[in-house]
Amino acid sequence: MKGRNGRLGKLLLTAVLLLGMLWPLIPADSAYAANTTYYVDDTNGLDTNSGTSTGAAWKTLGKVNSVTLQPGDKVLFKSGGIWTGTLSPKGSGTAASRITIDKYASGANPVVNGNGAAQAVLIKNMEYVTVQNLEITNDSATIAKRSGVFVLGQNAGTLNGIYLRNLNIHDVKGWSDRTNQDNFYGNAGIFVTVWTGGDNTNLSRFNDLRIENNNIHDISTGGIYFGGASAHLSDTTGNSWYTNVAIRSNIVNKTGADGIVAGVSKSPVIERNTVLDAGINGTNHQWIAGMWSWACMDPVFQYNEVARTHYDIQSTSDSMAFDTDVFSRGTHIFQYNYSHSNKGGFFMSTKELGVNGGNNVVRYNISQNDSHYHWSDNTISSLTGATSFYNNVFFNNTTQGFKIDGVRSSGLSFKNNIFYVNNGPAALPSNHTYSHNLYYGFTPPAGDANGIAADPQFVNPGTGSDGRATADGYRLKAASPAVNSGTVIASPGTADFWGNPLFAGAPDIGAHERP
């Protein structure tokens, strides 16, 4: 018996030693400590390493994806490295101990190349996670439903604290053709949505979602898009919608469809973004816009720039700079924005197609040479009667001219605006309200008893180009007839286009309040 027990002991010892040798090859699970930094090196790393130092870095995305990260963990990719496939981390942090996915060492941002996968980066059912300082691409020989970063909640309740920052996203070969709605609304450079999986009892939503300082360019799909579930649309209170949403300081340049679309959100802030040439890389994208909202309550669009939104066919194109769309509620504010050379015009609202349309407030914006290659053939088309335009500049010195919809739009209010149209037609229909506007280059509408027909004496009109700073030519000279000639607006905001405080007495007309 003793000999048999000795042999058994040796066998057990051999098994233990063999298990120890094989342990690094066993897929990782959640048995990792919190507040750990893991390094990933595409050249010198090994997945059998501990990953906890630069000299013992992991190698592949597969290894990273196999680990359930803990609060306070960091996954750092080596600068200059390239990884192919989908990065799909797991786990959640806490408000005090976020999970961070970032880079280490000097040099170019690490690249995650989806190589034609559905997503290059997938953030699913995670909370309190920051993804930053990565270059993300997802190219292919053929177009399919394909995203750069895909943020997904599925039957997970409220998901808090997801931050996407300083990402360079490009060459995403995604879908832009709107004839297939499922594909069109399923991909983007950054796509945020929830899936129900047929179970609406634990409908997911996002809280504290920040998309900031990203550069999204040269893609064949949309730039930033928020989707949702059908259950969100039946929620007339909006209590299941996303909250504390900020889309801030992003550059979206040369897309296949829309630039930035905020959806399913309560009081989102969309500010200091630049969208250029939306739709230029797409085909049959039809009803796109530079920036717009759907199923949103009380959003604020401010300090943004939108230029050269493209179109396919005028009869089926929107292609304006800004749009408020279906299922929207509350008051939508568009202020301090700069719009130029958009094919479908400056602004559209179709909120009446949804539920409880609410109001639009459009103030202290500058529109330069926006066309009207839009299905309505108008620069402004607001299909709800509760839209107030005040202290804007509408400048057009092209042969296209400037048109406000008078067939589908009625009862719009225009106060303290400057309409400068001196080379093409100007259509300001009489079914709208006009008060204390300044008109140059055409005959003012008869309804503006306090209107001014004169040169506004801009500093240097028509010289705007890319960049909000180039709109400085629309400041007023000291002798401008627009100075102190406007009417007082209740609750007009806090500043003009350039940040100057608003009037103490009579306001100036236009987007500039002279100090």
Side-chain angles (χ1 to χ4, degrees), residues 126-363:
M126 296 186 76
E127 288 191 271
Y128 300 109
V129 58
T130 298
V131 181
Q132 61 188 17
N133 300 319
L134 301 179
E135 181 177 346
I136 297 168
T137 184
N138 199 2
D139 207 353
S140 177
T142 58
I143 292 175
K145 186 159 67 173
R146 189 175 288 120
S147 295
V149 180
F150 197 93
V151 180
L152 174 63
Q154 186 172 19
N155 303 117
T158 299
L159 297 168
N160 297 288
I162 299 174
Y163 301 168
L164 306 179
R165 293 172 167 163
N166 303 317
L167 303 175
N168 178 10
I169 301 173
H170 62 92
D171 292 291
V172 177
K173 189 62 71 67
W175 196 271
S176 68
D177 189 336
R178 216 183 197 105
T179 57
N180 187 320
Q181 298 282 50
D182 288 339
N183 283 344
F184 183 89
Y185 288 116
N187 60 176
I190 295 176
F191 194 89
V192 178
T193 196
V194 301
W195 293 344
T196 62
D199 177 10
N200 290 329
T201 60
N202 193 20
L203 181 64
S204 291
R205 58 183 290 271
F206 298 102
N207 176 60
D208 190 19
L209 176 61
R210 306 183 192 181
I211 299 177
E212 302 172 317
N213 297 298
N214 301 292
N215 184 10
I216 304 171
H217 60 98
D218 299 292
I219 61 179
S220 63
T221 180
I224 298 170
Y225 192 95
F226 282 24
S230 59
H232 286 125
L233 304 184
S234 61
D235 178 6
T236 58
T237 66
N239 289 333
S240 66
W241 293 3
Y242 314 152
T243 49
N244 297 304
V245 171
I247 304 174
R248 179 181 294 123
S249 300
N250 302 283
I251 298 174
V252 180
N253 187 11
K254 296 181 180 177
T255 66
D258 306 280
I260 296 175
V261 182
V264 199
S265 301
K266 293 181 74 171
S267 303
V269 177
I270 303 94
E271 64 180 2
R272 303 189 187 280
N273 302 285
T274 300
V275 172
L276 306 175
D277 291 299
I280 193 173
N281 293 330
T283 56
N284 204 25
H285 46 62
Q286 300 182 40
W287 308 293
I288 69 167
M291 295 185 195
W292 59 284
S293 61
W294 73 284
C296 277
M297 181 179 291
D298 302 324
V300 176
F301 289 77
Q302 60 184 6
Y303 304 107
N304 300 294
E305 177 185 5
V306 181
R308 297 183 300 277
T309 304
H310 287 247
Y311 78 110
D312 285 323
I313 302 171
Q314 182 173 354
S315 62
T316 59
S317 289
D318 288 347
S319 304
M320 73 295 298
F322 300 101
D323 171 27
T324 296
D325 222 293
V326 294
F327 298 102
S328 294
R329 304 177 177 95
T331 298
H332 288 228
I333 296 177
F334 296 82
Q335 60 186 8
Y336 320 130
N337 300 295
Y338 171 43
S339 166
H340 55 108
S341 303
N342 294 285
K343 290 296 186 181
F346 169 65
F347 181 82
M348 180 182 74
S349 174
T350 59
K351 291 203 299 181
E352 88 295 345
L353 298 178
V355 182
N356 187 21
N359 306 312
N360 294 309
V361 175
V362 184
R363 63 192 182 193

Side-chain angles (χ1 to χ4, degrees), residues 377 411 496:
D377 192 32
D496 72 356

Side-chain angles (χ1 to χ4, degrees), residues 404-425:
I404 298 172
D405 192 345
V407 177
R408 288 154 291 269
S409 304
S410 62
L412 309 181
S413 173
F414 294 89
K415 297 180 180 180
N416 298 348
N417 302 285
I418 295 178
F419 296 95
Y420 188 119
V421 186
N422 69 337
N423 198 27

